[in-house]
């Protein structure tokens, strides 16, 4: 895609994916008894309260212009795990609401894409290009966020499984070092071309090649 087309279809796709993702975190927490996200003004689909200067604007725009593809993130929605109805699995349920929302958007995008395929050219029509971008981006975000390394959503599921007191040192260590580990993996994967995260892209595109 040209940088102009990538911008036109990429920016709305990124905003939809990450804003709905964060909104669903807050909604899940609210339904489980925590009002933190609501009181912070984050229980909304308005993208402005969710925007992170670097993750939502600067980095995605640079990627769109330079490569025609982009990845981004929004400000994490705050929640208080001590207010949740289920103390052990509550944080995991809140965390999984994000990837689940990406799955739902991907399914809707896929249905719309298949329904419009007989009438619109998927290679030139902006709506079709937008839908395929929305599908790919949400599948990637879903799979990426399931990686069990903090601060990704999959880590909350891991912590719920290893909730026993004997694993407290393991949880504390991973909680402190997880973001650093993830950042190092991403940087090394990008600059040394190690292919650590290639399995995510391959999984997404193999799936799409099989169903589109």
């Amino acid at each position: 895609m040209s940088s102009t087309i990538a911008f036109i279809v990429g920016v709305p796709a990124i905003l939809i994916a990450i804003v709905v993702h964060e909104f669903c975190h807050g909604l899940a927490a609210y339904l489980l008894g925590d009002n933190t996200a609501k009181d912070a003004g984050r229980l909304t689909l308005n993208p402005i309260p969710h925007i992170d200067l670097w993750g939502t604007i600067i980095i995605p725009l640079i990627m769109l212009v330079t490569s025609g593809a982009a990845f981004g993130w929004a400000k994490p929605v705050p929640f208080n795990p001590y207010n949740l109805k289920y103390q052990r699995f509550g944080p995991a349920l809140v965390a999984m609401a994000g990837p689940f929302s990406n799955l739902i958007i991907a399914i809707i995008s896929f249905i719309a894409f298949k329904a419009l395929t007989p009438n619109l050219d998927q290679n030139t029509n902006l709506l079709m290009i937008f839908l395929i971008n929305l599908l790919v981006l949400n599948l990637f975000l879903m799979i990426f966020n399931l990686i069990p390394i903090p601060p990704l959503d999959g880590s909350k599921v891991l912590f719920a499984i290893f909730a026993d007191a004997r694993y407290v040192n393991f949880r504390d260590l991973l909680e402190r070092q997880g973001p650093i580990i993830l950042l190092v993996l991403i940087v090394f994967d990008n600059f040394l071309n190690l292919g650590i995260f290639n399995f995510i892209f391959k999984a997404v595109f193999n799936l799409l090649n099989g169903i589109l």
Side-chain angles (χ1 to χ4, degrees):
M1 293 185 294
S2 70
S3 58
T4 302
I5 294 177
F7 179 85
I8 292 172
V9 301
V11 170
I14 292 171
L15 285 176
I16 291 171
I18 62 180
V19 167
V20 174
H21 181 106
E22 294 301 331
F23 168 79
C24 286
H25 282 317
L27 179 61
Y30 178 75
L31 293 176
L32 290 173
D34 178 47
N35 293 333
T36 304
K38 181 181 179 182
D39 294 341
R42 299 295 302 281
L43 198 59
T44 175
L45 289 173
N46 178 0
I48 295 176
H50 300 287
I51 289 176
D52 176 88
L53 178 61
W54 283 94
T56 315
I57 300 175
I58 297 177
I59 291 178
L61 285 179
I62 291 173
M63 293 180 67
L64 280 170
V65 171
T66 57
S67 67
F71 181 72
W73 62 88
K75 289 190 294 186
V77 166
F79 77 97
N80 188 340
Y82 297 105
N83 291 335
L84 299 178
K85 183 178 180 180
Y86 307 109
Q87 287 295 293
R88 177 173 180 178
F89 292 102
L93 292 173
V94 172
M96 292 307 294
F100 181 73
S101 73
N102 294 128
L103 175 61
I104 296 301
I105 295 173
I107 292 173
I108 294 172
S109 303
F110 171 74
I111 293 173
F113 181 86
K114 295 297 285 187
L116 294 172
T117 294
N119 301 311
L120 300 176
D121 188 339
Q122 59 184 273
N123 296 312
T124 60
N125 184 273
L126 281 179
L127 176 58
M128 299 296 280
I129 298 173
F130 165 75
L131 288 172
I132 198 65
N133 273 266
L134 193 62
L135 174 58
V136 171
L137 180 60
N138 277 278
L139 286 176
F140 177 82
L141 282 176
M142 179 189 71
I143 297 173
F144 182 76
N145 274 286
L146 291 176
I147 296 174
I149 301 176
L152 299 179
D153 298 324
S155 65
K156 297 298 189 294
V157 178
L158 182 68
F159 292 158
I161 295 173
F162 292 96
D164 194 277
R166 57 183 167 164
Y167 300 114
V168 64
N169 291 333
F170 163 73
R171 295 197 305 271
D172 289 345
L173 177 64
L174 194 58
E175 191 92 58
R176 292 194 309 270
Q177 303 300 329
I180 298 175
I181 294 172
L182 184 64
L183 179 61
V184 168
L185 286 175
I186 292 173
V187 170
F188 272 72
D189 185 53
N190 186 51
F191 287 99
L192 299 181
N193 197 27
L194 299 178
I196 298 173
F197 294 103
N198 275 352
F199 73 95
I200 300 178
F201 291 104
K202 289 180 180 178
V204 170
F205 286 110
N206 287 339
L207 174 63
L208 294 178
N209 286 333
I211 63 177
L212 291 180

